[in-house]
């Protein structure tokens, strides 16, 4: 077989004349091409590091500075004010270097130093400019003269053609808010949730904390902010994600869906071939740093640090804490189908396999009738259960031999692929149940057919529908959203399919076939797998999900209400929750802090005094429409202010979280912090951003709309709500809760969301058709 032949570079036999070496030229060729590719990547990384290191200047600007300095010297003008002469005096005397040569060398050295000084100055000025956020608080559609001048300066001091990581060194550090401001904002956020007596007690606790313990904790936090790139992100990653010992399936991992109405091809292997190739093309651009950094208003960069761990990354379980392991490169993926694991090479002859070749690889796996080895089928349930159990099993049963080799293959793979044996997606005959089943399948599946520790698992269903399950610790949803949108656009609008639904391209018949991975699972290990599966299955069975498209109106009509679409939806969620439970609750909305270096998220506490007052007015028949509109606008303005505060580093929760971490390091207890950090988020919400809208012509092709993604409930008695605003007339919602939460029902809450959106719009007497 071709793959067996290419697996061995040297063959030899012992003869009476000596050892007869027979070289496999094809194998040696592959070794050479593989090594050549590795060296090309190293050179490219070195070049990219240099280009990024001198940004916002460019390497070519060095020549301009050198030529300018030499030109002034020949004009008998000394721009260095004697420094070139000083450098010349300290040059070693050499017979190979003439007097003129020493002068030129001195000028080049001075020019290089001047060049680096100019780069440092430009970078400092750009960092100071990017620290200004006054533009965000201006009225929408109106730009002040100060902001116009600031935008002009940003464009002047920003370089041209930035690479993915070009702005990293120029991004400002996340500021530490003042204690007094955080305390006041916190008390304001909990006022609508507490009785007068409860609020007085909390105010006293906050005041005592502010006066006695907070200044000491704040001092340590400011010290960290001066020293570290970001005073929040490393602690957030460790204590919120990696130290959690409960299952990451449902509790942490989240998912992304395919197009809502379209299946580009019903052939499973073909869809897998195109989408996997599209993902690998994205990885190649990422490695070469050819992706453009995400910009606001086309000139304000956002941090790109999280992109680094999209591929070749796995979460490694530990007894007390997990770790994130990232590998610089990976030449294979691991595929799971009907209980069997396969290794699939994605490179051959120094090139990426084309979509047609990948389709053949996946078809071979689909046609493989061999059954899984004992214990292999449900092995991945270890990643779905308790983290400590998985860590102990990893040390006991996967530390040597074939199991260690196979585990290394999974963890070092570019990503994990599941070829499902079921069909999912929107069924026009049963739209409600079909989308709910699709969401649950992506969130947890069978609990053993995704490797939940991988940065992401790519899922391809039998009918050609695709989806993704992402691990959360290494990055936040906008990073995955950017990858997913690009992949979908590349699949449909760049790669495409033949008329018969198969991938385009020619196939190299010498390609090695997928390799079955040979696990050796003992009876003791099987028992641990069964125990993890039992925990995971109970968690999955408890998840209630409702996914639905809301197409009565979208951001087009919302903008006519002269308010932010996000604020409109968040206030509608408050009204829906009050109608659902008859009370308000602590509400979490995720906001990005990527205007700062290594920024991740901050919380927008969407339940405010203003929003609760508006909700009560909607429940009070005596209130007039005009009164309700006035209260709604006040609530929307407050929400926008909170969102701006969160994005500019003036949020509440990350500051309080870090103060709590410092208190634990110092060994001091704070009743205030303990109570704040133990408050449950009974309504957890997130908007999925659309970042690649230019790739989708929604006006001419409205069927090519993504359904977005979702996540599991954060609180046992609460809701998780994810939404994506698509185009002008569609909002997709993903609602989750637990069956065991007796006060919650995903479908009932979805109904309240629809009604609340329509009722708020009706206040403005706009035609929603």
């Amino acid at each position: 077989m071709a793959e067996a032949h290419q697996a061995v570079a040297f063959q030899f036999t012992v003869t009476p004349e000596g050892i007869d070496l027979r070289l496999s030229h094809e194998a040696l060729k592959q070794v050479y091409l593989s090594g050549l590719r590795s060296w090309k990547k190293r050179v490219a990384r070195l070049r990219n590091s240099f280009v990024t290191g001198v940004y916002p200047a460019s390497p070519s600007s060095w020549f301009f500075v050198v030529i300018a300095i030499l030109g002034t010297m020949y004009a008998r003008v000394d721009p260095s004010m004697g420094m070139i002469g000083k450098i010349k005096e300290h040059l070693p005397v050499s017979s190979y270097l003439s007097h003129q040569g020493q002068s030129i060398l001195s000028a080049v050295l001075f020019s290089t130093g001047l060049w680096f000084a100019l780069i440092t100055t430009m970078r400092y000025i750009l960092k100071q400019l990017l620290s200004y956020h006054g533009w965000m608080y201006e009225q929408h559609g109106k730009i002040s003269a100060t902001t116009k001048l600031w935008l002009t300066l940003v464009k002047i001091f920003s370089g041209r053609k930035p690479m993915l990581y070009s702005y990293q060194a120029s991004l400002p550090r996340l500021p530490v808010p003042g204690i007094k401001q955080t305390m006041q904002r916190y008390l304001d956020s909990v006022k609508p949730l507490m009785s007068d007596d409860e609020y007085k007690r909390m105010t006293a606790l906050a005041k005592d904390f502010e006066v006695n313990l907070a200044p000491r904790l704040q001092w340590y936090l400011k010290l960290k902010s001066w020293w570290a790139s970001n005073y929040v992100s490393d602690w957030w990653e460790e204590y919120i994600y990696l130290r959690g010992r409960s299952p990451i399936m449902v509790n942490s991992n989240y998912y992304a869906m395919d197009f809502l109405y379209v299946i580009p091809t019903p052939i499973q292997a073909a869809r897998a071939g195109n989408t996997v190739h599209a993902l690998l093309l994205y990885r190649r651009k990422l490695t070469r740093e050819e992706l453009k950094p995400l910009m606001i208003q086309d000139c304000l960069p956002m941090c790109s640090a999280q992109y680094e761990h999209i591929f070749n990354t796995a979460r490694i379980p530990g007894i007390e804490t997990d770790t994130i392991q990232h590998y610089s490169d990976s030449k294979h993926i691991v595929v799971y189908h009907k209980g069997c694991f396969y290794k699939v090479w994605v490179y051959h002859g120094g090139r990426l396999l084309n979509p047609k070749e990948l389709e053949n690889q996946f078809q071979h796996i689909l046609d493989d009738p061999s059954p899984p080895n004992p214990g292999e089928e449900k092995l991945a349930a270890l990643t779905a259960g308790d983290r400590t159990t998985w860590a102990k099993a990893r040390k006991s049963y996967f530390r040597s031999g074939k199991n260690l080799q196979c585990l290394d293959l999974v963890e070092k793979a570019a990503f994990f692929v599941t070829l499902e044996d079921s069909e999912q997606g929107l069924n026009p005959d049963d739209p409600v149940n079909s989308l709910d089943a699709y969401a649950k399948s992506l969130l947890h599946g069978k609990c053993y057919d995704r490797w939940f520790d991988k940065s992401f698992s790519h899922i391809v269903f039998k009918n050609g529908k695709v989806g993704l399950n992402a691990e959360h610790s290494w990055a936040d949803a906008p990073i995955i959203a950017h990858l997913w949108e690009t992949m979908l656009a590349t699949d449909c609008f760049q790669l495409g399919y033949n008329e018969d639904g198969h991938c385009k391209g020619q196939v190299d018949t010498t390609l090695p076939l997928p390799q079955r991975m040979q696990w050796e699972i003992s009876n003791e290990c099987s028992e641990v797998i069964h125990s993890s599966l039992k925990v995971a299955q109970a968690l999955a069975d408890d998840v209630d999900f409702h996914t639905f498209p809301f197409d009565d109106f979208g951001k087009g009509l919302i903008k006519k209400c002269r308010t932010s679409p996000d604020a409109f939806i968040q206030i509608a969620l408050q009204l829906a929750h009050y109608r659902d439970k008859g009370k308000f609750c602590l509400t979490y909305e995720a906001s990005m802090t990527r205007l700062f270096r290594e920024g991740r998220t901050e919380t927008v506490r969407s339940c405010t005094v203003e929003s609760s007052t508006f909700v009560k007015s909607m429940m009070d028949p005596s209130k007039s429409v005009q009164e309700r509109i006035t209260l709604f606008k006040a609530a929307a303005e407050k929400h926008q202010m909170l969102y701006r505060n969160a994005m500019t580093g003036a949020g509440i929760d990350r500051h309080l979280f870090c103060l709590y971490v410092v208190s634990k390091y110092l060994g001091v207890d704070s009743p205030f912090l303990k109570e704040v950090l133990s408050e449950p988020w009974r309504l957890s919400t997130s908007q999925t951003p659309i970042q690649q809208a230019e790739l989708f012509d929604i006006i001419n092709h409205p069927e090519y709309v993504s359904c977005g993604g979702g996540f599991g409930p954060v609180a046992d008695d609460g809701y998780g709500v994810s939404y994506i605003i698509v185009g002008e007339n569609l909002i997709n919602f993903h609602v989750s809760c637990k069956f065991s939460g007796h006060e919650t029902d995903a479908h009932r809450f979805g109904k309240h969301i629809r009604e609340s959106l329509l009722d708020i719009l009706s206040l403005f007497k706009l035609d929603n058709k």
Side-chain angles (χ1 to χ4, degrees), residues 465-573:
K465 209 72 174 175
V466 296
L468 175 145
N469 182 286
E471 201 275 313
H472 207 331
S473 64
W474 60 274
D476 301 306
I479 306 301
I480 280 292
H482 188 273
L483 163 74
W484 193 244
E485 290 171 12
T486 306
M487 184 278 291
L488 290 176
T490 304
D491 169 32
C492 295
F493 305 127
Q494 295 182 23
L495 299 176
Y497 299 88
N498 292 328
E499 292 181 359
D500 55 2
H502 290 281
C503 296
K504 300 175 182 178
Q506 301 297 318
V507 178
D508 184 346
T509 57
T510 65
L511 288 176
L513 294 174
Q515 175 188 343
R516 266 293 301 273
M517 294 165 58
Q518 302 297 323
W519 304 88
E520 291 182 346
I521 308 300
S522 65
N523 292 332
E524 293 83 0
C525 184
S526 293
E527 291 178 3
V528 177
I529 293 171
H530 178 74
S531 174
S532 288
L533 179 59
K534 188 176 180 181
V535 171
Q537 195 66 61
L539 181 59
D541 291 343
D542 196 24
V543 175
D544 182 17
F545 231 104
H546 181 40
T547 299
F548 63 94
F550 178 83
D551 56 5
D552 290 82
F553 64 89
K555 68 178 181 181
L557 279 181
I558 293 176
K559 288 179 179 178
K560 291 183 179 180
C561 301
R562 297 182 180 274
T563 188
S564 154
D566 184 70
F568 189 100
I569 294 172
Q570 285 291 327
I571 296 171
L573 290 175

Side-chain angles (χ1 to χ4, degrees), residues 255 477 545-546 548 573 684-688 707-711 720-724 731-736 753:
Y255 67 84
F545 231 104
H546 181 40
F548 63 94
L573 290 175
S684 182
T685 70
S686 177
Q687 180 186 170
T688 303
C707 201
F711 54 89
V721 180
S722 174
Y723 53 94
I724 180 171
I731 308 171
N732 290 320
F733 286 91
H734 303 253
V735 181
S736 65
I753 292 174

Side-chain angles (χ1 to χ4, degrees), residues 49-82:
S49 297
F50 178 72
V51 173
T52 299
V54 301
Y55 198 84
S58 63
S60 60
S61 63
W62 177 80
F63 292 100
F64 175 79
V65 174
V66 170
I67 291 171
I69 295 297
L70 290 174
T72 56
M73 288 181 62
Y74 281 105
R76 300 189 180 280
V77 177
D78 186 5
S80 70
M81 293 181 291

Side-chain angles (χ1 to χ4, degrees), residues 51 56 87 90 148 155 168 180 201 244 281 315-316 352 361 439 453 491 557 597 636 652:
V51 173
I87 295 173
H90 289 84
K148 289 179 180 178
K155 291 177 181 179
Q168 291 302 103
K180 186 175 182 179
R201 185 185 68 84
L281 289 177
R315 176 171 174 160
I316 309 300
L352 273 175
Q361 298 284 306
D453 284 358
D491 169 32
L557 279 181
R597 188 168 184 176
I652 302 169

Side-chain angles (χ1 to χ4, degrees), residues 19 378 406 445 623:
I19 297 178
K378 299 177 181 179
C406 291
K623 296 293 183 181

